[in-house]
Amino acid sequence: MEEEYVKLIFGLKLRQIRTDKGLSLFQLGKISGLSKSYLNEIEKGKKYPKTDKIILLAESLEVSYEDLVSLKLDKNLAPISGILQSKLLKEIPFELFGIEERDLIEIISNAPSKVNAFISTMIEIGNNYNLTRESFFLAALRSYQEANDNYFPEIEAAAKNFMKAYLIDEKDEINEDWMLEILKEEFGYQIIFEDFSSELQTLRSIYKPKNKELYINNSADLNQIRFILAKELGYNYLKLEERLLTFSWAKFESFDQLLNNFYASYFAGAILLPEENLVRDMNRMFDINRFNPEIFENVMRKYTESPETIYQRMTNLFAKHFKINDLFFLRLSYKVGTDSYKLTKELHLNQHQSPHANESDEHYCRRWVSVRVLQDFEKVKDEKSHLLDAQISVYPFQNQNEYFVISSATVDPFNSDLLRSVTLGVKLEAAQKKIKFLKDPKIPVKKVAVTCENCGMENCSERAAHPKRYLKKLQNQQLNEAIDAFIGSN
């Protein structure tokens, strides 16, 4: 175990035994001959006493030396011991959020029973909602993005410096042949295009770090190849050593790998869709009085055929350049011929945004434009490669919040049996000053909810499930009102 954690566990045990015997630090100091300040440092996990001092403490507390130095805690503190001995505190880069590891240790040592209750609560929530390690780390990454408005100036600057260093004009589209040459000549890559086996067919690339071999699946389309190459440039130019080895990623071993994957992906977006160019085009789109899907589609085609890439890149720029940070990004997956919709990616620059992913297998609202565009695209997918739709979504059960929401549907690039919609939503109140077409009366307005189970909308023709959670909540509210009325009556 880490030396810091050994100190902390010893301090927790000492405090627990002392308090169980009803002794204050002052009293224990008098019995043992050790100073109160020294004992306080031990209990906070800052110091670990030498053998002679441990013997003194064991005798003073009337416990065996072995019990005192044992790393085993009783059942009340067992979850804390488990989390300290796990890699959790080491895997999450708390410094990203301005938190020092010592701060956490201090909190635990100051109120171990309360921290234990909190940890136990989190474990229970995780078990009830099937919260995996993957989900936890992805949530931590999203929180980091949200805390920074998903805009990282140091990576934007690195992307600009890269373009200058390799004599690439930001006004021009970066060429995939040029990226291949830089990876080979500058970073010593071997790049092999080949057919992947059936087991690996869902992957578009695999990297073998030993010989810097990048294998690209022959089934990858041009946009995927360009993104793969740009991302590899990001890993190398940003000097990111801990990394994921596949695209799309199948597994990760540490939070650093996940974080660096985000950094490399951000860099890729920044060189494929340069900041100044895209901001200029966004300004042109937003400066018209009527919503025109064709203008939006033309901007997308200018840079890439992948709506997801441009939607995500726009989330980087909204807060910085348009002062719009009340927004969300969603990716929804739909299996052809079924009624199954799954939220596979989300980002909220303000935690109050809806909808959030749910972990209880409920049915997402079928009034979402991201669902409707999938339903419509299923009918025309053989004639079109992309379908775009938009609406103003009103959440009557969530403070009447209103969002302009635009969504694009395509065939899932990794699985032809799936359709995918990517969605960008901006809060109407926050965005109307910057986006003129939001006042266009021709944009359809829809009342929506998050899930059918939690929706009280009456006579909804799109309802996919009984509103059991809403009715339960309503029943509890009525019961509480009846109780209050009864207690308040004469």
Side-chain angles (χ1 to χ4, degrees), residues 370-450:
S370 47
V371 171
R372 186 175 71 246
V373 74
L374 285 169
Q375 294 170 340
D376 293 342
F377 182 63
E378 185 177 14
K379 302 170 187 174
V380 299
K381 63 183 176 63
D382 294 330
E383 293 87 37
K384 294 186 177 182
S385 61
H386 168 229
L387 188 66
L388 183 146
D389 202 355
Q391 71 181 37
I392 291 174
S393 293
V394 182
Y395 286 80
F397 302 102
Q398 293 178 325
N399 301 321
Q400 295 289 330
N401 284 334
E402 298 180 344
Y403 302 91
F404 170 75
V405 187
I406 186 167
S407 186
S408 291
T410 61
V411 175
D412 190 309
F414 300 101
N415 188 337
S416 59
D417 291 331
L418 298 177
L419 304 183
R420 168 189 286 186
S421 69
V422 289
T423 301
L424 188 61
V426 293
K427 196 171 183 180
L428 223 57
E429 183 183 5
Q432 278 181 332
K433 293 180 181 178
K434 299 289 183 178
I435 305 176
K436 290 184 179 179
F437 65 68
L438 293 184
K439 296 179 181 178
D440 184 353
K442 292 184 178 180
I443 300 174
V445 179
K446 279 264 191 181
K447 290 183 178 180
V448 300
V450 177

XYZ file of all heavy atoms in Angstrom, residues 370-450:
649
model
N -34.430 13.957 -31.856
C -33.386 12.954 -32.086
C -33.971 11.563 -32.298
O -33.344 10.705 -32.910
C -32.386 12.940 -30.926
O -33.055 12.922 -29.694
N -35.183 11.331 -31.776
C -35.891 10.070 -32.032
C -36.629 10.161 -33.362
O -36.573 9.246 -34.195
C -36.876 9.744 -30.885
C -37.768 8.562 -31.264
C -36.115 9.443 -29.598
N -37.329 11.292 -33.580
C -38.112 11.437 -34.807
C -37.232 11.374 -36.056
O -37.603 10.761 -37.072
C -38.880 12.760 -34.785
C -39.841 12.907 -35.962
C -40.682 14.161 -35.868
N -39.923 15.375 -36.102
C -39.702 16.304 -35.183
N -40.175 16.154 -33.964
N -39.012 17.382 -35.469
N -36.050 11.999 -35.992
C -35.193 12.005 -37.173
C -34.697 10.596 -37.492
O -34.496 10.234 -38.657
C -34.012 12.994 -36.979
C -32.960 12.441 -36.023
C -33.381 13.347 -38.310
N -34.549 9.748 -36.467
C -34.182 8.348 -36.706
C -35.332 7.595 -37.364
O -35.121 6.795 -38.286
C -33.796 7.672 -35.386
C -32.426 8.030 -34.814
C -32.287 7.498 -33.387
C -31.310 7.485 -35.689
N -36.547 7.848 -36.888
C -37.713 7.188 -37.470
C -37.889 7.588 -38.932
O -38.178 6.742 -39.788
C -38.958 7.554 -36.663
C -38.943 7.013 -35.232
C -40.056 7.588 -34.374
O -40.623 8.638 -34.693
N -40.372 6.914 -33.270
N -37.682 8.865 -39.212
C -37.813 9.341 -40.590
C -36.678 8.834 -41.473
O -36.890 8.480 -42.644
C -37.842 10.876 -40.620
C -39.093 11.447 -39.975
O -40.074 10.689 -39.827
O -39.081 12.636 -39.600
N -35.487 8.778 -40.907
C -34.325 8.342 -41.691
C -34.421 6.863 -42.064
O -33.968 6.460 -43.132
C -33.038 8.617 -40.914
C -31.786 8.244 -41.662
C -31.452 8.882 -42.848
C -30.943 7.243 -41.198
C -30.304 8.544 -43.552
C -29.797 6.893 -41.879
C -29.469 7.544 -43.063
N -35.036 6.073 -41.184
C -35.182 4.649 -41.474
C -35.930 4.433 -42.789
O -35.658 3.481 -43.524
C -35.906 3.950 -40.329
C -36.004 2.446 -40.490
C -36.653 1.759 -39.303
O -37.267 2.461 -38.464
O -36.548 0.527 -39.205
N -36.832 5.339 -43.120
C -37.638 5.195 -44.334
C -36.873 5.596 -45.591
O -37.217 5.149 -46.693
C -38.904 6.056 -44.211
C -39.770 5.727 -43.009
C -40.858 6.782 -42.818
C -41.627 6.560 -41.523
N -42.599 7.662 -41.255
N -35.845 6.435 -45.433
C -35.166 6.971 -46.623
C -33.673 6.649 -46.660
O -32.954 7.155 -47.519
C -35.354 8.509 -46.697
C -36.818 8.868 -46.805
C -34.720 9.201 -45.486
N -33.214 5.802 -45.740
C -31.765 5.579 -45.612
C -31.130 4.971 -46.862
O -29.919 5.088 -47.069
C -31.453 4.709 -44.392
C -32.022 3.310 -44.425
C -31.708 2.572 -43.133
C -32.339 1.196 -43.091
N -31.827 0.309 -44.141
N -31.933 4.315 -47.684
C -31.378 3.735 -48.912
C -31.160 4.790 -49.988
O -30.411 4.564 -50.941
C -32.305 2.634 -49.445
C -32.381 1.446 -48.498
O -31.377 1.194 -47.803
O -33.434 0.788 -48.443
N -31.842 5.938 -49.865
C -31.677 7.014 -50.849
C -30.791 8.146 -50.335
O -30.173 8.857 -51.106
C -33.043 7.608 -51.227
C -33.957 6.668 -51.983
C -34.795 5.790 -51.074
O -35.220 6.291 -50.009
O -34.995 4.603 -51.391
N -30.749 8.325 -48.997
C -29.990 9.431 -48.415
C -28.956 8.911 -47.427
O -29.171 7.905 -46.771
C -30.934 10.414 -47.700
C -31.886 11.151 -48.617
C -32.669 12.193 -47.821
C -33.578 13.016 -48.721
N -34.308 14.061 -47.963
N -27.849 9.636 -47.314
C -26.815 9.247 -46.347
C -26.952 9.999 -45.034
O -26.301 9.660 -44.047
C -25.424 9.504 -46.934
O -25.263 10.887 -47.217
N -27.848 11.022 -45.045
C -27.912 11.902 -43.881
C -29.257 12.614 -43.886
O -29.749 13.022 -44.942
C -26.753 12.911 -43.959
C -26.863 14.044 -42.993
N -26.711 15.365 -43.366
C -27.117 14.072 -41.662
C -26.851 16.152 -42.319
N -27.107 15.396 -41.274
N -29.872 12.742 -42.705
C -31.136 13.469 -42.598
C -31.053 14.400 -41.398
O -30.599 13.997 -40.320
C -32.302 12.491 -42.422
C -33.710 13.109 -42.491
C -33.988 13.651 -43.888
C -34.763 12.072 -42.126
N -31.488 15.632 -41.593
C -31.409 16.649 -40.544
C -32.811 17.148 -40.202
O -33.650 17.305 -41.088
C -30.521 17.800 -41.009
C -30.244 18.940 -40.030
C -28.833 19.488 -40.251
C -31.247 20.080 -40.193
N -33.052 17.412 -38.923
C -34.336 17.946 -38.477
C -34.097 18.823 -37.246
O -33.047 18.729 -36.600
C -35.298 16.807 -38.148
C -36.761 17.241 -38.187
O -37.016 18.445 -38.378
O -37.642 16.384 -38.007
N -35.081 19.675 -36.938
C -34.926 20.576 -35.797
C -36.290 20.893 -35.203
O -37.321 20.769 -35.861
C -34.222 21.860 -36.232
N -36.288 21.294 -33.940
C -37.516 21.727 -33.281
C -37.148 22.542 -32.046
O -35.989 22.573 -31.618
C -38.374 20.523 -32.865
C -37.811 19.721 -31.705
C -38.675 18.521 -31.341
O -39.253 17.859 -32.205
N -38.754 18.210 -30.055
N -38.153 23.200 -31.496
C -38.011 23.816 -30.177
C -38.689 22.881 -29.187
O -39.877 22.573 -29.321
C -38.639 25.210 -30.136
C -37.804 26.169 -31.000
C -38.705 25.734 -28.703
C -38.390 27.544 -31.166
N -37.920 22.381 -28.231
C -38.435 21.441 -27.230
C -38.742 22.174 -25.935
O -37.890 22.896 -25.400
C -37.404 20.337 -26.952
O -37.227 19.518 -28.093
N -39.966 21.991 -25.465
C -40.411 22.607 -24.212
C -40.611 21.501 -23.190
O -41.290 20.510 -23.463
C -41.732 23.383 -24.404
C -42.144 24.060 -23.095
C -41.591 24.401 -25.535
N -40.013 21.676 -21.998
C -40.135 20.687 -20.924
C -41.146 21.205 -19.888
O -40.763 21.902 -18.949
C -38.783 20.443 -20.270
C -37.843 19.621 -21.108
C -37.122 20.193 -22.149
C -37.683 18.255 -20.868
C -36.265 19.436 -22.936
C -36.828 17.502 -21.648
C -36.127 18.092 -22.675
O -35.296 17.329 -23.447
N -42.439 20.885 -20.055
C -43.448 21.433 -19.142
C -43.318 20.938 -17.710
O -43.823 21.567 -16.784
C -44.770 20.968 -19.772
C -44.417 19.764 -20.577
C -43.036 20.019 -21.074
N -42.649 19.791 -17.511
C -42.509 19.252 -16.164
C -41.164 19.604 -15.544
O -40.792 19.091 -14.494
C -42.694 17.728 -16.194
C -44.025 17.316 -16.765
C -44.122 16.851 -18.060
C -45.181 17.444 -16.008
C -45.351 16.492 -18.601
C -46.409 17.087 -16.539
C -46.497 16.619 -17.846
N -40.397 20.475 -16.227
C -39.100 20.904 -15.712
C -38.957 22.412 -15.901
O -38.170 22.881 -16.720
C -37.964 20.152 -16.412
C -37.961 18.671 -16.078
C -36.871 17.934 -16.817
O -36.550 18.267 -17.946
N -36.299 16.927 -16.183
N -39.757 23.167 -15.169
C -39.675 24.629 -15.156
C -39.878 25.274 -16.526
O -39.385 26.373 -16.781
C -38.317 25.085 -14.582
C -38.116 24.583 -13.172
O -39.060 24.559 -12.388
N -36.912 24.167 -12.852
N -40.578 24.577 -17.411
C -40.900 25.121 -18.730
C -39.649 25.495 -19.532
O -39.694 26.379 -20.403
C -41.813 26.354 -18.584
C -43.194 26.068 -18.012
C -44.083 25.314 -18.988
O -43.968 25.444 -20.187
N -44.975 24.496 -18.439
N -38.536 24.849 -19.272
C -37.323 25.138 -20.029
C -37.544 24.881 -21.515
O -38.198 23.914 -21.897
C -36.159 24.276 -19.534
C -35.597 24.787 -18.219
O -35.714 25.967 -17.910
N -34.982 23.908 -17.442
N -36.977 25.749 -22.366
C -37.132 25.622 -23.808
C -35.752 25.558 -24.469
O -34.838 26.308 -24.108
C -37.898 26.819 -24.372
C -39.310 26.954 -23.823
C -40.033 28.154 -24.413
O -39.355 29.028 -24.992
O -41.261 28.217 -24.301
N -35.608 24.676 -25.437
C -34.343 24.505 -26.151
C -34.585 24.463 -27.648
O -35.568 23.869 -28.108
C -33.648 23.204 -25.746
C -33.348 23.097 -24.281
C -34.261 22.509 -23.410
C -32.157 23.578 -23.760
C -33.998 22.413 -22.056
C -31.886 23.489 -22.404
C -32.808 22.908 -21.558
O -32.548 22.816 -20.221
N -33.686 25.085 -28.400
C -33.644 24.814 -29.826
C -32.764 23.585 -30.002
O -31.612 23.557 -29.550
C -33.053 25.985 -30.613
C -32.777 25.637 -32.054
C -33.821 25.539 -32.970
C -31.487 25.378 -32.487
C -33.576 25.196 -34.287
C -31.228 25.036 -33.806
C -32.280 24.950 -34.713
N -33.304 22.564 -30.666
C -32.603 21.292 -30.778
C -32.501 20.897 -32.239
O -33.509 20.863 -32.962
C -33.347 20.176 -29.996
C -32.505 18.905 -29.985
C -33.651 20.624 -28.572
N -31.295 20.618 -32.700
C -31.066 20.175 -34.070
C -30.418 18.804 -34.031
O -29.558 18.531 -33.191
C -30.200 21.197 -34.841
C -30.105 20.800 -36.309
C -28.825 21.370 -34.211
C -29.552 21.915 -37.183
N -30.867 17.914 -34.924
C -30.407 16.530 -34.868
C -30.180 15.990 -36.272
O -30.938 16.298 -37.202
C -31.443 15.668 -34.134
O -30.972 14.356 -33.946
N -29.141 15.199 -36.422
C -28.816 14.573 -37.703
C -28.738 13.065 -37.541
O -28.143 12.569 -36.580
C -27.468 15.082 -38.225
O -27.558 16.436 -38.598
N -29.338 12.350 -38.486
C -29.334 10.882 -38.455
C -28.497 10.336 -39.598
O -28.547 10.845 -40.727
C -30.760 10.345 -38.541
N -27.724 9.296 -39.290
C -26.935 8.578 -40.292
C -26.937 7.101 -39.923
O -27.362 6.727 -38.831
C -25.471 9.065 -40.316
O -24.873 8.823 -39.032
C -25.367 10.545 -40.656
N -26.446 6.284 -40.817
C -26.174 4.893 -40.466
C -24.972 4.882 -39.539
O -24.008 5.623 -39.742
C -25.893 4.046 -41.726
C -25.481 2.626 -41.338
C -27.125 4.004 -42.630
N -25.030 4.067 -38.482
C -23.904 3.967 -37.559
C -22.669 3.499 -38.331
O -22.699 2.453 -38.983
C -24.235 2.967 -36.446
C -23.215 3.002 -35.322
O -22.009 2.910 -35.602
O -23.627 3.098 -34.156
N -21.585 4.267 -38.311
C -20.397 3.901 -39.097
C -19.716 2.626 -38.630
O -18.885 2.077 -39.347
C -19.477 5.116 -38.924
C -19.919 5.755 -37.658
C -21.398 5.524 -37.571
N -20.078 2.140 -37.437
C -19.437 0.934 -36.921
C -20.347 -0.294 -36.986
O -19.907 -1.406 -36.735
C -18.999 1.152 -35.468
C -18.017 2.271 -35.308
C -18.431 3.514 -34.858
C -16.684 2.111 -35.655
C -17.534 4.553 -34.733
C -15.784 3.140 -35.538
C -16.210 4.376 -35.073
N -21.620 -0.071 -37.305
C -22.561 -1.199 -37.332
C -23.723 -0.837 -38.260
O -24.539 0.012 -37.936
C -23.071 -1.500 -35.917
C -23.886 -2.767 -35.846
O -24.451 -3.240 -36.837
N -23.981 -3.359 -34.655
N -23.800 -1.507 -39.406
C -24.816 -1.169 -40.410
C -26.225 -1.531 -39.968
O -27.198 -1.112 -40.588
C -24.491 -1.864 -41.737
O -24.440 -3.280 -41.554
N -26.356 -2.332 -38.905
C -27.682 -2.671 -38.380
C -28.224 -1.591 -37.458
O -29.367 -1.675 -36.996
C -27.627 -3.997 -37.602
C -27.371 -5.184 -38.516
O -27.771 -5.114 -39.694
O -26.777 -6.169 -38.046
N -27.410 -0.586 -37.160
C -27.813 0.482 -36.255
C -27.887 1.814 -36.988
O -27.108 2.070 -37.917
C -26.832 0.614 -35.086
C -26.673 -0.577 -34.146
C -25.602 -0.281 -33.102
C -27.989 -0.917 -33.462
N -28.813 2.647 -36.569
C -28.843 4.030 -37.004
C -28.420 4.893 -35.828
O -28.566 4.505 -34.675
C -30.249 4.426 -37.465
C -30.876 3.581 -38.571
C -32.232 4.152 -38.973
C -29.966 3.474 -39.778
N -27.909 6.059 -36.140
C -27.382 6.927 -35.086
C -27.849 8.353 -35.334
O -27.837 8.824 -36.474
C -25.855 6.856 -35.092
C -25.164 7.909 -34.257
C -23.675 7.912 -34.498
N -23.013 6.784 -33.889
C -21.700 6.622 -33.860
N -20.911 7.522 -34.437
N -21.161 5.571 -33.285
N -28.281 9.012 -34.271
C -28.557 10.450 -34.383
C -27.655 11.188 -33.413
O -27.398 10.720 -32.299
C -30.023 10.767 -34.098
O -30.359 10.553 -32.745
N -27.143 12.317 -33.861
C -26.372 13.201 -32.990
C -27.139 14.508 -32.883
O -27.714 14.991 -33.865
C -24.940 13.430 -33.509
C -24.106 12.181 -33.340
C -24.936 13.877 -34.959
N -27.163 15.055 -31.689
C -28.077 16.152 -31.398
C -27.374 17.256 -30.627
O -26.591 16.985 -29.709
C -29.270 15.633 -30.561
O -29.934 14.605 -31.288
C -30.237 16.744 -30.235
N -27.671 18.481 -31.007
C -27.154 19.648 -30.311
C -28.341 20.487 -29.864
O -29.217 20.819 -30.676
C -26.252 20.457 -31.243
C -25.464 21.615 -30.646
C -24.504 21.132 -29.574
C -24.697 22.338 -31.749
N -28.397 20.817 -28.576
C -29.488 21.637 -28.048
C -28.951 22.841 -27.313
O -28.005 22.729 -26.534
N -29.532 24.011 -27.574
C -29.131 25.231 -26.869
C -30.362 25.838 -26.217
O -31.451 25.855 -26.797
C -28.460 26.263 -27.809
C -27.136 25.741 -28.315
C -29.376 26.637 -28.976
N -30.212 26.322 -24.997
C -31.332 26.905 -24.277
C -31.769 28.194 -24.969
O -30.953 29.070 -25.249
C -30.949 27.177 -22.820
C -32.144 27.416 -21.919
C -31.712 27.458 -20.463
C -32.906 27.630 -19.536
N -32.502 27.681 -18.119
N -33.057 28.284 -25.243
C -33.590 29.392 -26.028
C -33.274 30.735 -25.394
O -32.810 31.669 -26.057
C -35.112 29.215 -26.164
C -35.701 29.494 -27.552
C -35.040 28.620 -28.601
C -37.199 29.253 -27.548
N -33.492 30.830 -24.102
C -33.288 32.096 -23.388
C -31.859 32.591 -23.524
O -31.607 33.781 -23.687
C -33.648 31.908 -21.917
C -33.546 33.160 -21.084
C -33.852 32.891 -19.613
O -34.057 31.719 -19.235
O -33.888 33.865 -18.844
N -30.905 31.648 -23.477
C -29.491 32.016 -23.525
C -29.008 32.301 -24.943
O -28.057 33.052 -25.144
C -28.646 30.899 -22.915
N -29.656 31.702 -25.949
C -29.120 31.743 -27.305
C -29.792 32.756 -28.225
O -29.247 33.087 -29.269
C -29.231 30.346 -27.921
N -30.975 33.266 -27.862
C -31.728 34.116 -28.795
C -31.000 35.398 -29.189
O -31.189 35.907 -30.295
C -33.101 34.452 -28.203
C -34.116 33.338 -28.410
C -35.491 33.670 -27.857
O -35.597 34.441 -26.906
N -36.525 33.104 -28.445
N -30.144 35.909 -28.307
C -29.413 37.133 -28.635
C -28.330 36.894 -29.680
O -27.926 37.820 -30.389
C -28.784 37.716 -27.364
C -29.797 38.232 -26.352
C -29.103 38.797 -25.128
C -30.122 39.293 -24.098
N -29.456 39.812 -22.871
N -27.849 35.671 -29.767
C -26.741 35.360 -30.671
C -27.196 34.667 -31.955
O -26.519 34.744 -32.970
C -25.720 34.462 -29.950
C -25.089 35.093 -28.721
C -24.144 36.207 -29.114
C -23.453 36.803 -27.900
N -22.490 37.861 -28.265
N -28.335 33.954 -31.885
C -28.790 33.180 -33.045
C -30.129 33.760 -33.504
O -31.169 33.540 -32.891
C -28.935 31.683 -32.688
C -27.608 31.151 -32.114
C -29.341 30.881 -33.908
C -27.683 29.708 -31.647
N -30.107 34.520 -34.606
C -31.290 35.258 -35.045
C -32.444 34.353 -35.447
O -33.608 34.667 -35.214
C -30.917 36.179 -36.209
C -30.040 37.355 -35.820
C -29.793 38.264 -37.012
C -28.940 39.464 -36.615
N -28.678 40.349 -37.780
N -32.140 33.211 -36.083
C -33.229 32.399 -36.636
C -34.058 31.688 -35.565
O -35.066 31.053 -35.881
C -32.709 31.396 -37.666
C -31.792 30.329 -37.139
C -32.243 29.327 -36.280
C -30.452 30.300 -37.510
C -31.404 28.336 -35.810
C -29.601 29.315 -37.047
C -30.079 28.329 -36.195
N -33.674 31.792 -34.304
C -34.440 31.117 -33.251
C -35.831 31.723 -33.078
O -36.716 31.110 -32.469
C -33.681 31.175 -31.924
C -32.377 30.366 -31.865
C -31.780 30.418 -30.465
C -32.604 28.929 -32.273
N -36.049 32.911 -33.648
C -37.372 33.536 -33.578
C -38.248 33.175 -34.774
O -39.369 33.668 -34.902
C -37.210 35.056 -33.484
C -36.501 35.504 -32.203
C -36.337 37.009 -32.154
C -35.597 37.435 -30.882
N -35.380 38.901 -30.831
N -37.721 32.302 -35.611
C -38.474 31.876 -36.795
C -39.719 31.098 -36.370
O -39.617 30.027 -35.755
C -37.566 30.993 -37.667
C -38.219 30.586 -38.978
O -39.422 30.868 -39.156
O -37.527 29.982 -39.819
N -40.938 31.592 -36.686
C -42.162 30.899 -36.266
C -42.381 29.564 -36.960
O -43.236 28.779 -36.531
C -43.265 31.901 -36.629
C -42.682 32.742 -37.722
C -41.217 32.836 -37.430
N -41.639 29.300 -38.026
C -41.817 28.040 -38.746
C -41.112 26.859 -38.073
O -41.337 25.708 -38.442
C -41.318 28.185 -40.188
C -42.174 29.123 -41.027
C -41.708 29.156 -42.473
C -42.605 30.064 -43.307
N -42.158 30.116 -44.728
N -40.254 27.138 -37.108
C -39.608 26.039 -36.375
C -40.661 25.381 -35.494
O -41.286 26.046 -34.664
C -38.439 26.548 -35.507
C -37.376 27.225 -36.376
C -37.812 25.387 -34.739
C -36.261 27.873 -35.576
N -40.919 24.072 -35.661
C -41.966 23.409 -34.866
C -41.635 23.409 -33.384
O -40.471 23.322 -32.987
C -41.993 21.978 -35.425
C -40.679 21.793 -36.090
C -40.261 23.133 -36.588
N -42.694 23.535 -32.561
C -42.552 23.526 -31.105
C -43.209 22.271 -30.564
O -44.345 21.957 -30.906
C -43.202 24.767 -30.467
C -43.062 24.733 -28.945
C -42.587 26.044 -31.038
N -42.478 21.519 -29.721
C -42.992 20.270 -29.158
C -42.817 20.251 -27.654
O -41.748 20.593 -27.145
C -42.225 19.076 -29.747
C -42.695 18.651 -31.125
C -43.680 17.505 -31.001
C -43.970 16.870 -32.348
N -44.944 15.770 -32.228
N -43.867 19.842 -26.946
C -43.724 19.557 -25.524
C -43.083 18.182 -25.388
O -43.519 17.222 -26.027
C -45.082 19.572 -24.831
C -45.705 20.951 -24.723
C -47.017 20.898 -23.945
C -47.614 22.290 -23.802
N -48.891 22.263 -23.047
N -42.052 18.095 -24.559
C -41.317 16.842 -24.423
C -41.079 16.538 -22.948
O -41.256 17.391 -22.079
C -39.960 16.885 -25.169
C -40.147 17.145 -26.649
C -39.039 17.940 -24.550
N -40.658 15.307 -22.699
C -40.252 14.886 -21.357
C -38.911 14.172 -21.484
O -38.317 14.123 -22.565
C -41.303 13.975 -20.744
N -38.441 13.614 -20.382
C -37.196 12.842 -20.438
C -37.512 11.384 -20.744
O -37.032 10.833 -21.731
C -36.399 12.968 -19.125
C -35.148 12.089 -19.185
C -36.019 14.420 -18.888
